[in-house]
Amino acid sequence: QGYFHMVSRNVFIVDDLFRLDELQMKIAVDFEGLPFETVGGLINHLLGRIPHKHDVCRFENVSFKVLRAKPQKAEMVRITIEK
């Protein structure tokens, strides 16, 4: 399932297991065709490594900031849709 919380119109908090297909429906960003199923998988790919707390990466007009991480994965992520 995954955790999803809307902070404001353009800011969301999710956990690393939140599915990209569900995120796509909520924030209207196209993640179709990517070889990842979760936000955590996308972040690992964008960074090219296991994420650490405070890491930031981008996909199109979406910024992902790791709020909490374990040694082997991100746990909580802030998503900001930039205009």
Side-chain angles (χ1 to χ4, degrees), residues 1 4 6-7 13-14 23 36 43 47 56 68 70:
Q1 295 265 30
F4 180 90
M6 182 179 207
V7 176
I13 305 295
V14 302
L23 184 61
F36 325 103
I43 291 172
L47 291 172
V56 177
R68 190 170 71 216
K70 287 185 174 180

Side-chain angles (χ1 to χ4, degrees), residues 51-71:
H52 304 289
K53 186 175 180 180
H54 304 301
D55 279 346
V56 177
C57 56
R58 294 179 52 87
F59 178 83
E60 296 181 1
N61 65 326
V62 182
S63 172
F64 298 89
K65 180 175 182 178
V66 178
L67 301 178
R68 190 170 71 216
K70 287 185 174 180

Side-chain angles (χ1 to χ4, degrees), residues 5 16 22-23 32 59-62 64 72-73 83:
H5 174 72
D16 66 311
E22 292 180 33
L23 184 61
E32 197 73 35
F59 178 83
E60 296 181 1
N61 65 326
V62 182
F64 298 89
Q72 68 276 22
K73 67 176 191 162
K83 298 179 181 182

Side-chain angles (χ1 to χ4, degrees), residues 9-39:
R9 200 179 79 169
N10 295 330
V11 179
F12 311 89
I13 305 295
V14 302
D15 68 7
D16 66 311
L17 298 177
F18 199 79
R19 293 183 52 85
L20 290 177
D21 55 353
E22 292 180 33
L23 184 61
Q24 180 171 308
M25 289 187 292
K26 292 184 180 288
I27 68 171
V29 172
D30 187 9
F31 297 107
E32 197 73 35
L34 294 177
F36 325 103
E37 294 184 3
T38 65
V39 170

